[in-house]
Amino acid sequence: MVRMRRLRKSAALRDLVREHSLQVDDLILPLFVSETAVSPIEIASMPGVVKYPLAGLGEAVARAVAVGIKAVLLFGIPARKDPRGSGAYDSEGIVPRAIRLIKSSFPELVVIADVCLCEYTSHGHCGLVDSDGCVLNDETLPLLVESSLAYVRAGADIVAPSDMMDGRVGAIRAGLDAAGFEDTPIMSYAAKFASAYYGPFREAAESAPRFGDRLTYQMDPANAREALREVAADIAEGADLVIAKPAMAYLDILSGIVRNFHVPVVAYNVSGEYAMVKAAAAKGWIDERRVVMETLLGMKRAGARAIITYHALEAAAWLK
Ligand code: PBG
Ligand code: ZN
């Protein structure tokens, strides 16, 4: 008889046949830095996550480094928003300043800068908007290139465009190359779905669109094959790593990408996924630690090479 239980008999046997594991090296910690905060500001829907003032960022990064985190993903919240999102590509904007500060103390830390306009635009869309409220694709690209250059010049190790405009990876690649940054990788949010799971993030970044939605640029949650076209396009344009986002309800997307392409694939365990786990844990309905570790391991099993997660600090401490 086939007895599957033979290999489950002891902890040592289970260790021997285990196929996947989670390590601290897999974790990317998102960090919010606010131009107006004077002390850390809590985000109601994301317990344990805060928006740091520039002055508090060094300490936050030190805590992450102390538990072994090797990569962070930066989001900026500017003091002022305008229709063209000018805070995104200002070389003295909040993110370039944050990058310089982090890099001066932690040169080894991989600093990834999210590239998008939605945190910086008064209308909350990820690109420029015309008088009819249409989000303009090609007109937005130079601003994404300028943003990327501002972050890379400040010392960012990787840029991560999350806007979902077509052709942005190619435009950013050309812009970086022309400025002498041909060795800086692009991690594109290649398969990014128009998801309700981003709700808490938009509260944090104050980036909810003022009108309409993101359905004309982010992907339709019903589409899986289209995600492969998105990834193929981004790789052809020069993406070095690709992100699949959200993660939990989209692990089929992630594993489809992993099976079809050979670039590292990153899972984004988004804000709403975090919020649900935290809420259930606060009620005492789930064992938070076990649920978090099982969730992150599930993403590894689906094929993620790395995971962007708000649980990174706690998970890293648990892995120690
Ligand atoms: C900005 C951006 C968003 C997220 C990452 N970058 C929000 C959005 O597209 O509305 C979502 C992250 C999360 O929910 O954790 N384009
Ligand atoms: Zn955006």
Side-chain angles (χ1 to χ4, degrees):
M1 187 164 134
V2 175
R3 290 189 184 274
M4 302 305 292
R5 295 182 56 192
R6 281 182 203 120
L7 295 178
R8 297 178 195 149
K9 226 164 23 186
S10 70
L13 269 173
R14 292 193 295 272
D15 289 349
L16 190 70
V17 300
R18 182 164 302 122
E19 298 175 38
H20 297 279
S21 66
L22 181 71
Q23 286 145 287
V24 70
D25 303 15
D26 303 328
L27 305 173
I28 300 171
L29 172 69
L31 287 173
F32 296 102
V33 55
S34 159
E35 201 165 15
T36 53
V38 287
S39 57
I41 301 173
E42 283 177 32
I43 303 158
S45 53
M46 301 176 74
V49 179
V50 301
K51 296 187 257 192
Y52 289 102
L54 208 52
L57 194 61
E59 223 176 281
V61 172
R63 276 197 298 279
V65 170
V67 289
I69 300 276
K70 294 179 184 169
V72 298
L73 172 62
L74 279 184
F75 294 99
I77 303 134
R80 273 176 308 280
K81 307 196 185 217
D82 59 42
R84 296 183 59 83
S86 54
Y89 39 91
D90 176 356
S91 58
E92 290 307 311
I94 184 65
V95 165
R97 279 152 67 207
I99 295 167
R100 287 194 290 265
L101 183 135
I102 295 172
K103 276 294 179 179
S104 68
S105 306
F106 305 97
E108 306 291 303
L109 187 71
V110 176
V111 175
I112 308 167
D114 187 272
V115 176
C116 198
L117 300 188
C118 58
E119 295 102 295
Y120 304 90
T121 51
S122 40
H123 45 73
H125 280 289
C126 300
L128 294 176
V129 166
D130 72 9
S131 53
D132 299 326
C134 282
V135 176
L136 299 166
N137 194 89
D138 298 15
E139 292 80 351
T140 299
L141 300 183
L143 305 185
L144 299 170
V145 174
E146 282 313 305
S147 304
S148 302
L149 282 170
Y151 307 153
V152 169
R153 286 191 177 117
D157 297 288
I158 300 178
V159 286
S162 65
D163 51 282
M164 291 297 279
M165 298 301 117
D166 289 314
R168 92 269 210 218
V169 174
I172 292 170
R173 184 71 272 155
L176 292 178
D177 290 355
F181 295 106
E182 50 277 284
D183 289 330
T184 301
I186 298 173
M187 179 167 98
S188 78
Y189 288 71
K192 176 173 177 177
F193 289 84
S195 171
Y197 284 98
Y198 307 153
F201 174 97
R202 292 181 191 170
E203 181 203 334
E206 300 149 40
S207 65
R210 293 293 157 85
F211 58 85
D213 50 45
R214 303 213 201 289
L215 289 166
T216 68
Y217 44 108
Q218 298 182 349
M219 286 185 61
D220 183 334
N223 297 353
R225 297 171 69 240
E226 187 188 342
L228 301 179
R229 287 189 73 199
E230 280 281 6
V231 171
D234 282 13
I235 293 174
E237 291 176 33
D240 301 282
L241 312 87
V242 297
I243 301 175
K245 176 187 176 195
M248 284 165 61
Y250 294 80
L251 288 183
D252 59 322
I253 302 294
L254 178 73
S255 96
I257 296 170
V258 170
R259 278 185 275 107
N260 283 282
F261 301 96
H262 301 112
V263 292
V265 183
V266 177
Y268 199 141
N269 176 211
V270 299
S271 58
E273 300 170 2
Y274 176 85
M276 292 194 302
V277 169
K278 283 288 174 182
K283 291 255 189 195
W285 291 348
I286 57 169
D287 177 334
E288 179 176 357
R289 177 173 173 165
R290 290 188 55 207
V291 165
V292 168
M293 296 314 240
E294 185 177 331
T295 302
L296 298 176
L297 180 62
M299 293 169 196
K300 289 291 302 287
R301 191 187 61 240
R305 180 56 216 98
I307 305 167
I308 301 163
T309 178
Y310 305 97
H311 297 291
L313 273 180
E314 285 173 305
W318 292 329
L319 287 166
K320 270 204 147 182

